[in-house]
Amino acid sequence: MMENVFLVTGASRGIGAATAALAADAGYRVVRASRSAEESVGDRGWDAKCDVSSFDSVQELMSRVESRWGRIDVVFANAGVSVDTSFVSSAGAKPSEWTDMVVTNVCGPAFTARAAMPALIRSGGHLVVTGSAAGRGVRPGNLYSATKWAVTGLAQAIRAEAVGTGVRVTVVQPGLVDTDAIPASRVGDPKLAPEDVGRAVLYAVSQPSTVDVNEILIRPTGQAAHR
């Protein structure tokens, strides 16, 4: 019997790395995909180079994993980037630097879903997408927040289309997480550990096949709802 396979994008650090480790502890074979990965394949772990801003790159990875390990059961579309933005001043990143964030954060999970869905339909699998609590309310001048609004809508659109296929779809929306992407203005705020988000992901995928956890909102204790 083939063992279940859990694929994580953006797995080189933070939420992705923590979730990959938890998935391995839970008994999955784990594919850790990232732009910076050095290709290395073992019996239970696979570090795979993949750029989610390229559909061809993601599709090629799904094909390789299914060919080598026979199946894909969980895909965690987690890769994302953040830059500071303003629409009324020159503060933050220049507009020429915004494109990579939008493509990675919005097209990335869309490309990942499209590339993974044939394998997930075959396995009756689960797609999980990283959104953000920032995508649930207005953040002045914040294009990152807008990309996460888009991710929430994307997850809902995928789930609606996947009805009848057996594939479950979850969007996980963390509050502030202790990673290297924390804005300087929020260094002292309450934070989740990456493993806290990883446990939420594992909770969703560990439910019986008759249960589809559509959305998880998780904040650190003490974080204000508007932050």
Side-chain angles (χ1 to χ4, degrees):
M1 183 176 179
M2 290 183 291
E3 294 177 277
N4 287 1
V5 175
F6 195 123
L7 187 151
V8 183
T9 68
S12 62
R13 61 186 186 277
I15 293 170
T19 304
L22 289 167
D25 290 344
Y28 288 93
R29 283 181 162 183
V30 180
V31 180
R32 298 175 292 265
S34 68
R35 289 177 178 175
S36 60
E38 295 290 336
E39 283 282 341
S40 174
V41 185
D43 181 54
R44 306 196 58 78
W46 184 340
D47 293 313
K49 195 172 187 66
C50 180
D51 180 357
V52 299
S53 69
S54 163
F55 177 71
D56 288 346
S57 178
V58 183
Q59 187 175 48
E60 189 265 344
L61 175 61
M62 299 298 169
S63 177
R64 284 197 291 143
V65 172
E66 239 195 334
S67 176
R68 186 180 186 100
W69 279 354
R71 61 189 294 136
I72 302 174
D73 299 273
V74 181
V75 172
F76 183 25
N78 168 71
V81 297
S82 175
V83 298
D84 291 334
T85 58
S86 172
F87 300 104
V88 300
S89 77
S90 59
K94 297 176 181 178
S96 59
E97 300 173 44
W98 299 357
T99 303
D100 180 63
M101 177 175 69
V102 174
V103 172
T104 300
N105 292 4
V106 181
C107 292
F111 290 163
T112 301
R114 179 63 183 83
M117 197 57 69
L120 293 177
I121 290 172
R122 284 189 281 272
S123 67
H126 201 138
L127 174 70
V128 184
V129 182
T130 299
S132 173
R136 297 175 61 92
V138 175
R139 304 293 190 271
N142 193 321
L143 183 57
Y144 170 81
S145 172
T147 68
K148 293 303 185 177
W149 278 62
V151 168
T152 296
L154 173 67
Q156 292 173 354
I158 296 167
R159 192 202 68 80
E161 189 178 15
V163 168
T165 67
V167 176
R168 298 180 289 174
V169 180
T170 301
V171 58
V172 178
Q173 300 171 319
L176 189 64
V177 181
D178 192 6
T179 69
D180 57 8
I182 295 175
S185 62
R186 302 195 63 188
V187 168
D189 290 358
K191 305 174 193 66
L192 296 165
E195 292 78 10
D196 297 329
V197 185
R199 282 190 291 270
V201 174
L202 268 292
Y203 164 79
V205 304
S206 68
Q207 298 307 300
S209 61
T210 53
V211 178
D212 189 358
V213 180
N214 298 158
E215 187 173 351
I216 298 177
L217 172 64
I218 174 174
R219 294 188 179 99
T221 301
Q223 179 179 327
H226 67 281
R227 296 302 301 270

